Amino acid sequence: MRVILDGMGGDLAPAEMVKGAVQAAELIDDEIVIVGEKKQIEKELKKNRYKGDNITIAPASEVITMHDSPVKAIRQKKDSSLVRGLNMLKDGEGDLFVSAGNTGALIVGARLILGRIRGVDRPALASVYPDMKTMEPCLLVDAGASAESKAQNLLEYGLMGSIFMEKAWGRENPRVGLVNLGAEESKGTSVTKDAYQRLKASHLNFIGNVEGRDVPKGVCDVIVCDGFVGNVILKLTEGAALSIFSLVKQAITENLKTKIGGALIRGQLMKMKESFDYEEYGGAPVLGVDGPVMKMHGSSTATAVKNAIIRGIPYARENVVDIIRNEMLDIEVVEEDYE
Amino acid sequence: MRVILDGMGGDLAPAEMVKGAVQAAELIDDEIVIVGEKKQIEKELKKNRYKGDNITIAPASEVITMHDSPVKAIRQKKDSSLVRGLNMLKDGEGDLFVSAGNTGALIVGARLILGRIRGVDRPALASVYPDMKTMEPCLLVDAGASAESKAQNLLEYGLMGSIFMEKAWGRENPRVGLVNLGAEESKGTSVTKDAYQRLKASHLNFIGNVEGRDVPKGVCDVIVCDGFVGNVILKLTEGAALSIFSLVKQAITENLKTKIGGALIRGQLMKMKESFDYEEYGGAPVLGVDGPVMKMHGSSTATAVKNAIIRGIPYARENVVDIIRNEMLDIEVVEEDYE
């Protein structure tokens, strides 16, 4: 395997990207190509005292920033690390592309350069959602690639998420749940009602509707929703968790007695807070584009980069893209049956 | 003022409804009419040793349960406490209707019996959302009366919520925020983009888009979203809070040291958990129907009933319904300007 890493994407690039690549390179036999400004990357490799032979550099002179308009950036910055990296993946110069860069640009770029998998109407951005009971990662699809979805898109999200979780991350017979405002089949918008029927008619392990209160409890492995709702779920969970932690902190510092109490449970609370850390999972796949792409958080540090590379490799190795392509053919039949 | 209380609605009716009415009656000079099965309510009043003269009973022989289909129940159970109570409000036999009964039936009943305020396209169910920073209540509209909303509906939710918060609950110049997947004006679905423009053009104190992560931080007094997203926000917040509390509990009971630590901060944690308790707020208004209606949680106990009555009275006393009616006329003009 040859992993293509966007060396210039993300708030902490190139330093943390290179450091993460070095950490990953020590753990895997696969090759890593870092795309970006050659001199800067060489400097960072030196800083990290990298002596191995499985990291190479592919030069790219431009950088797409977080402030760039996605479509414009992809069209104009042809020699950016993001555009170059995607082209390398397309041309077979690598097997997986990993980036912490501008999310919109990455999705637009992947659609334009790699193209969609035949049969997929709309690619999706997945995100890891921590099951707060077992602390195992669930996959939420779509995390915001599209603001609006049709019923068929939701079916595709369920299918692609299920294949990824099973093949890439080894989750057996993944449970797929549809976010809705009630558990009953008859609940929801016209789109979710229609999606329910399509998911039910598919061969997926569809467990039915999932209400907001069940989402954090890990009742399913693949959480299906449109990108608007997905965005709200991810950010609200983050916001609520942070607010509650700061309330706990406030409670602990109230007086001497509680301060002593707080000191005694400090280690456990820190461990708990860490388990919410997205860096553990590194990144999540862009699904439905014709090549394996992993998206990292914009503020990813070396740990996230290392984990995204390691957790991304099976996306390429297990041929998830090909499997999705084959399954889309079946889905098309199911859809015709249903209509 | 004369408060009409649905004596038979809710999981704990009539016992907790009557108990809550007795508690409220001790604190207010207003009259309370409990609608329901006469003998059962008399029995409960006796149990509570009620000796005052501001509680009366209006008999109703039927009960709409949580399992009844809303439309069917309203049409067929004409002598239910819910239908009778709404008719009493309509006929001027009371000034406010408070119920913990079947939410769907209450909304359908209010629409059919009271009717909509002229100019309001779609009534909404509000819900209290606790600001986790100040622990002051915010109002989320819509909490699930409609699964889908048009841009004009979202404007109406903002307007009605703002009037309620200002007039009934004394919040000065309430800040209105629109739930969206990004802070920028250009973000979102076609509906939220349109709603943004309508809210901006209105005289409301519109602070712009609010992302999921900001919702728990109390950045606004009125949180505007469609009923699908509102339902997900409310239930997800509840689910995430419960999950995090159980993680904290787990952390505390890990070993002897943490158990001692836990014992020292127990009081503070309990207080914190209580501040999430919806019973403190009692209930939230149904907005846009032609009469003040307060909806309580289905599992409300006496405390919630007492608080819903006390916090509901200003909804009637401050003529919130009339103010909404007048303001709807202005909004119609704004809408024409915008289009």
Side-chain angles (χ1 to χ4, degrees):
Chain A
M1 286 285 135
R2 203 164 181 237
V3 178
I4 308 160
L5 174 67
D6 178 354
M8 312 306 284
D11 305 336
L12 306 173
E16 294 294 316
M17 299 303 120
V18 175
K19 194 173 167 190
V22 171
Q23 290 178 3
E26 281 163 11
L27 299 167
I28 55 175
D29 295 325
D30 309 85
E31 199 184 325
I32 301 170
V33 197
I34 307 179
V35 193
E37 179 46 59
K38 196 160 179 267
K39 276 191 186 149
Q40 285 189 56
I41 291 167
E42 278 173 342
K43 201 179 102 191
E44 294 298 332
L45 280 171
K46 215 171 268 175
K47 257 198 218 161
N48 285 282
R49 296 197 179 77
Y50 180 68
K51 294 268 180 343
D53 61 357
N54 53 347
I55 293 182
T56 52
I57 302 172
S61 64
E62 290 175 293
V63 176
I64 294 179
T65 70
M66 296 301 180
H67 309 291
D68 278 328
S69 142
V71 178
K72 227 168 129 184
I74 295 299
R75 289 213 180 116
Q76 294 177 351
K77 293 189 172 175
K78 294 284 181 208
D79 198 38
S80 61
S81 55
L82 200 153
V83 172
R84 283 276 293 128
L86 285 168
N87 274 313
M88 286 172 67
L89 181 66
K90 192 194 168 198
D91 297 341
E93 295 169 39
D95 307 289
L96 169 73
F97 182 56
V98 180
S99 174
N102 183 318
T103 308
L106 182 63
I107 291 166
V108 170
R111 282 186 65 152
L112 290 178
I113 295 166
L114 304 175
R116 288 174 291 162
I117 294 174
R118 196 180 162 271
V120 172
D121 179 53
R122 222 175 273 183
L125 177 65
S127 185
V128 169
Y129 192 92
D131 162 0
M132 296 189 197
K133 232 170 175 173
T134 63
M135 287 303 164
E136 288 293 316
C138 308
L139 205 68
L140 181 144
V141 194
D142 172 36
S146 315
E148 284 158 282
S149 303
K150 292 172 285 182
Q152 183 65 11
N153 302 137
L154 295 172
L155 171 62
E156 287 170 12
Y157 300 164
L159 178 86
M160 297 190 296
S162 177
I163 294 171
F164 181 88
M165 283 303 265
E166 187 174 353
K167 304 298 175 186
W169 288 1
R171 191 72 52 94
E172 222 174 292
N173 199 21
R175 297 157 304 167
V176 177
L178 177 67
V179 176
N180 210 334
L181 45 62
E184 304 84 347
E185 195 169 326
S186 61
K187 285 286 172 80
T189 63
S190 52
V191 172
T192 59
K193 280 185 232 175
D194 186 352
Y196 187 102
Q197 295 306 325
R198 289 173 196 240
L199 284 160
K200 197 171 130 183
S202 76
H203 66 283
L204 296 172
N205 182 10
F206 179 53
I207 62 154
N209 289 329
V210 169
E211 292 185 78
R213 70 166 65 86
D214 300 318
V215 168
K217 291 183 195 156
V219 295
C220 56
D221 304 297
V222 181
I223 304 162
V224 174
C225 55
D226 68 47
F228 189 97
V229 170
N231 183 290
V232 170
I233 288 177
L234 289 165
K235 291 182 179 163
L236 177 61
T237 305
E238 185 195 322
L242 286 175
S243 296
I244 293 170
F245 282 127
S246 81
L247 287 172
V248 171
K249 206 173 154 190
Q250 220 176 308
I252 284 175
T253 51
E254 202 170 301
N255 57 43
L256 184 65
K257 182 177 127 188
T258 59
K259 275 181 195 163
I260 297 170
L264 293 172
I265 61 166
R266 192 167 181 277
Q268 271 67 22
L269 290 182
M270 289 302 289
K271 238 194 324 191
M272 196 180 121
K273 214 176 160 181
E274 266 165 37
S275 56
F276 278 94
D277 188 359
Y278 63 85
E279 302 229 323
E280 274 309 301
Y281 307 111
V286 179
L287 294 166
V289 291
D290 206 356
V293 173
M294 289 290 282
K295 165 77 184 99
M296 291 183 282
H297 201 285
S299 54
S300 290
T301 64
T303 308
V305 177
K306 177 193 76 183
N307 288 330
I309 291 171
I310 291 172
R311 284 178 157 270
I313 287 172
Y315 186 6
R317 198 184 49 216
E318 303 300 330
N319 301 311
V320 171
V321 169
D322 291 337
I323 299 172
I324 292 175
R325 186 182 295 111
N326 288 335
E327 296 249 344
M328 283 314 298
L329 302 174
D330 295 342
I331 281 290
E332 285 178 329
V333 177
V334 170
E335 186 192 11
E336 279 165 352
D337 278 356
Y338 166 65
E339 276 176 359
Chain B
M1 286 285 136
R2 203 167 183 236
V3 178
I4 308 161
L5 174 68
D6 178 354
M8 313 305 284
D11 305 336
L12 307 173
E16 294 295 314
M17 300 303 121
V18 175
K19 195 173 164 189
V22 170
Q23 291 176 3
E26 281 163 11
L27 299 167
I28 55 175
D29 295 326
D30 309 86
E31 199 184 324
I32 300 170
V33 197
I34 307 178
V35 192
E37 177 50 56
K38 195 162 182 270
K39 276 188 188 154
Q40 285 189 55
I41 291 167
E42 279 174 341
K43 203 179 99 192
E44 294 297 332
L45 281 171
K46 214 170 270 173
K47 260 199 218 161
N48 285 282
R49 294 196 181 78
Y50 180 68
K51 294 269 176 347
D53 60 357
N54 53 347
I55 293 181
T56 53
I57 301 172
S61 64
E62 289 174 293
V63 177
I64 294 180
T65 70
M66 295 301 179
H67 308 292
D68 277 329
S69 141
V71 179
K72 226 168 132 184
I74 296 299
R75 290 214 178 115
Q76 294 177 351
K77 293 188 170 175
K78 295 283 181 207
D79 199 38
S80 60
S81 55
L82 199 155
V83 173
R84 282 276 293 127
L86 285 167
N87 274 312
M88 286 172 67
L89 181 65
K90 191 194 170 197
D91 297 341
E93 295 169 39
D95 307 288
L96 169 74
F97 182 56
V98 180
S99 174
N102 183 317
T103 309
L106 182 63
I107 291 166
V108 170
R111 284 187 63 152
L112 290 177
I113 295 166
L114 305 173
R116 286 173 292 162
I117 294 174
R118 196 183 161 269
V120 173
D121 178 54
R122 223 176 271 183
L125 176 65
S127 185
V128 169
Y129 192 91
D131 163 0
M132 295 190 198
K133 230 169 176 175
T134 63
M135 287 302 165
E136 287 294 314
C138 309
L139 204 67
L140 181 145
V141 193
D142 172 37
S146 314
E148 283 157 283
S149 301
K150 291 172 287 185
Q152 182 66 9
N153 301 137
L154 294 173
L155 171 63
E156 287 171 13
Y157 300 164
L159 178 87
M160 298 190 296
S162 177
I163 295 171
F164 180 88
M165 283 304 266
E166 185 173 356
K167 304 299 176 185
W169 288 1
R171 190 72 51 94
E172 222 173 291
N173 199 21
R175 298 157 302 167
V176 177
L178 177 67
V179 176
N180 211 333
L181 43 65
E184 304 86 345
E185 198 169 326
S186 61
K187 285 285 172 83
T189 63
S190 52
V191 172
T192 59
K193 281 185 233 176
D194 186 353
Y196 187 102
Q197 296 305 327
R198 289 171 195 242
L199 284 160
K200 196 171 132 183
S202 76
H203 66 283
L204 296 173
N205 181 12
F206 178 53
I207 61 155
N209 289 330
V210 169
E211 293 186 79
R213 70 166 65 86
D214 300 318
V215 168
K217 290 182 194 156
V219 294
C220 57
D221 304 297
V222 181
I223 304 162
V224 174
C225 55
D226 67 46
F228 190 96
V229 171
N231 182 289
V232 170
I233 288 177
L234 290 164
K235 290 182 180 164
L236 177 61
T237 305
E238 184 195 323
L242 286 176
S243 295
I244 293 170
F245 282 128
S246 81
L247 286 173
V248 171
K249 207 172 153 189
Q250 220 176 308
I252 285 174
T253 51
E254 200 170 300
N255 57 43
L256 185 64
K257 182 178 128 188
T258 60
K259 275 183 194 163
I260 297 169
L264 294 171
I265 61 167
R266 192 166 180 278
Q268 271 67 20
L269 290 181
M270 290 301 290
K271 239 196 319 193
M272 197 180 119
K273 210 175 162 182
E274 266 165 35
S275 56
F276 279 93
D277 189 359
Y278 63 85
E279 302 229 323
E280 274 310 300
Y281 307 109
V286 178
L287 294 166
V289 292
D290 206 354
V293 173
M294 289 290 279
K295 164 76 185 102
M296 291 183 282
H297 200 287
S299 53
S300 292
T301 63
T303 308
V305 176
K306 177 195 75 184
N307 288 330
I309 291 171
I310 291 171
R311 284 178 158 269
I313 286 172
Y315 187 7
R317 197 184 51 216
E318 304 300 330
N319 300 312
V320 171
V321 169
D322 291 337
I323 299 171
I324 291 176
R325 186 182 295 111
N326 288 335
E327 297 249 344
M328 283 315 298
L329 301 173
D330 294 343
I331 281 289
E332 284 177 331
V333 177
V334 171
E335 185 192 12
E336 279 162 354
D337 278 355
Y338 166 67
E339 279 176 355

